[in-house]
Amino acid sequence: MNPDPLRSEELTAALAALVKKKIQNSTMSINQVARSIGISRQTLHTKLAARGEFTPSQLEAIASLFGTKASTLLKQAETEITATRRSKNRQGGQEK
């Protein structure tokens, strides 16, 4: 069974937004986060713009930086995707 590319893009975007928000709400800079997870600042920017996916090890390192687990970040991203889909479905139903 092949993964759904749209779902993968949604998850990438949701994770990027979540990580970006965590960085903005912290005292850490982009450079500090990038250095801590072992990637360049440019690579982190690419991933935060949802133009690249975080590897499992990068996601684990990011989660650790913010005192959580990668599975928790994934669940939060999934929750955001579900909420966005529900909102779009409600809006679509109102336009008819």
Side-chain angles (χ1 to χ4, degrees), residues 64-83:
S64 179
L65 277 177
F66 296 109
T68 191
K69 295 180 180 180
S71 61
T72 301
L73 292 178
L74 288 168
K75 286 176 190 171
Q76 290 172 336
E78 286 284 343
T79 299
E80 183 59 34
I81 290 168
T82 301

Side-chain angles (χ1 to χ4, degrees), residues 25-39:
N25 291 337
S26 77
T27 59
M28 296 175 60
S29 71
I30 293 286
N31 286 336
Q32 290 170 317
V33 172
R35 209 172 311 119
S36 295
I37 65 171
I39 61 176

